[in-house]
Amino acid sequence: KQSQIFFDVAGKAYALCARRENSTDEILKRAVGCLRKAQNLGFAVDLLVSKGRLYQALKLLRDEHRYDEALTFLETHQPHTSLDFPPQHDLSQHSLLRLAASVHAVSAQNPQRSEKSRDASYILFLQKVDCMTAEDEEHYLSQHGYKTQLVERLIKRKAYSKAGQLLSAEGKKSEAADVLCKINPNPGSKDFQLGIELLLAHALEEKCDEKERILS
């Protein structure tokens, strides 16, 4: 704590010098470095913004794993040309959403955290997923085990075949058939064919299970 206080005082002193018109990049770098060690990122970001260093401010938040804050920063300053990134860039909204979603998903499934904390992380995870492309949304929901939520979203997007395939892969053949042939308002011949096959497979599985119970 004492070292943090020292770096905070030093960082603010350097920041005072850095705000002057004749200040150098070296002074700004020292100010940000000290503030970062003091974990006073808010002050460091404000300093960088005041000097027009929006790219550096955003990168600082990303490097410190403050992904939610980085996304808010990007949204606030998005019209600025220095923050106009292609989707594949490390500081683009796409990349930051992926990082934030992964962090919240892991936190939501961490048994060492309280139930309230896990629920809050789960909500934040879904919020990030809601802002993703359809492809990323499907990938991250599936990757982190939220298959039920993914199926619901696929049905909402009228992607009935994909929802049915996902349910079938999860062993939920009867539910898959319902999605393909009942929930789907306009099922095609392929949907009907697959639905029938799934129902037959489901019936066969139930018959085998019943036989095993009788024999046991």
Side-chain angles (χ1 to χ4, degrees):
K1 284 186 177 181
Q2 288 184 339
S3 62
Q4 280 189 345
I5 294 173
F6 169 79
F7 282 118
D8 190 57
V9 171
K12 288 176 179 176
Y14 277 123
L16 190 63
C17 298
R19 292 182 190 274
R20 295 176 181 173
E21 291 184 7
N22 60 345
S23 179
T24 64
D25 286 346
E26 181 61 29
I27 295 296
L28 179 62
K29 183 178 179 181
R30 290 183 182 181
V32 172
C34 287
L35 291 168
R36 189 174 182 178
K37 288 179 180 178
Q39 297 183 11
N40 194 346
L41 289 185
F43 200 102
V45 168
D46 289 342
L47 173 62
L48 289 168
V49 170
S50 72
K51 302 294 290 185
R53 308 296 180 88
L54 300 186
Y55 179 92
Q56 288 176 252
L58 179 62
K59 187 175 184 300
L60 175 62
L61 290 171
R62 196 283 309 273
D63 290 347
E64 290 291 329
H65 312 295
R66 302 287 188 88
Y67 306 126
D68 289 333
E69 293 174 51
L71 284 164
T72 301
F73 183 92
L74 186 60
E75 183 180 352
T76 302
H77 299 280
Q78 186 66 62
H80 200 279
T81 54
S82 67
L83 302 180
D84 186 17
F85 307 117
Q88 66 272 20
H89 194 283
D90 288 345
L91 295 177
S92 70
Q93 184 187 44
H94 289 79
S95 297
L96 292 172
L97 281 171
R98 291 166 184 163
L99 291 168
S102 294
V103 168
H104 291 312
V106 171
S107 296
Q109 298 173 12
N110 185 350
Q112 295 182 348
R113 302 186 69 194
S114 67
E115 183 178 355
K116 184 178 180 180
S117 180
R118 292 199 303 271
D119 289 344
S121 294
Y122 172 69
I123 291 171
L124 287 169
F125 168 72
L126 292 183
Q127 288 176 351
K128 297 300 176 289
V129 168
D130 286 339
C131 298
M132 290 179 170
T133 62
E135 183 179 354
D136 277 355
E137 176 190 55
E138 292 174 22
H139 173 75
Y140 280 86
L141 284 170
S142 179
Q143 182 184 43
H144 294 290
Y146 295 109
K147 302 292 180 66
T148 300
Q149 293 85 339
L150 176 53
V151 169
E152 291 173 354
R153 288 163 185 252
L154 290 172
I155 292 173
K156 193 173 182 179
R157 288 208 299 266
K158 299 181 180 180
Y160 303 109
S161 295
K162 189 175 285 188
Q165 290 170 5
L166 179 61
L167 286 168
S168 177
E170 290 292 301
K172 300 177 180 179
K173 296 179 175 59
S174 179
E175 293 178 37
D178 285 344
V179 169
L180 291 168
C181 304
K182 290 184 179 180
I183 297 176
N184 184 356
N186 297 299
S189 57
K190 289 185 178 179
D191 295 321
F192 277 122
Q193 183 179 351
L194 180 56
I196 292 171
E197 291 174 359
L198 288 168
L199 286 174
L200 288 172
H202 175 68
L204 182 61
E205 287 177 357
E206 285 197 330
K207 189 174 182 180
C208 290
D209 290 341
E210 184 180 354
K211 187 176 181 180
E212 287 181 6
R213 284 196 299 270
I214 294 172
L215 292 174
S216 61

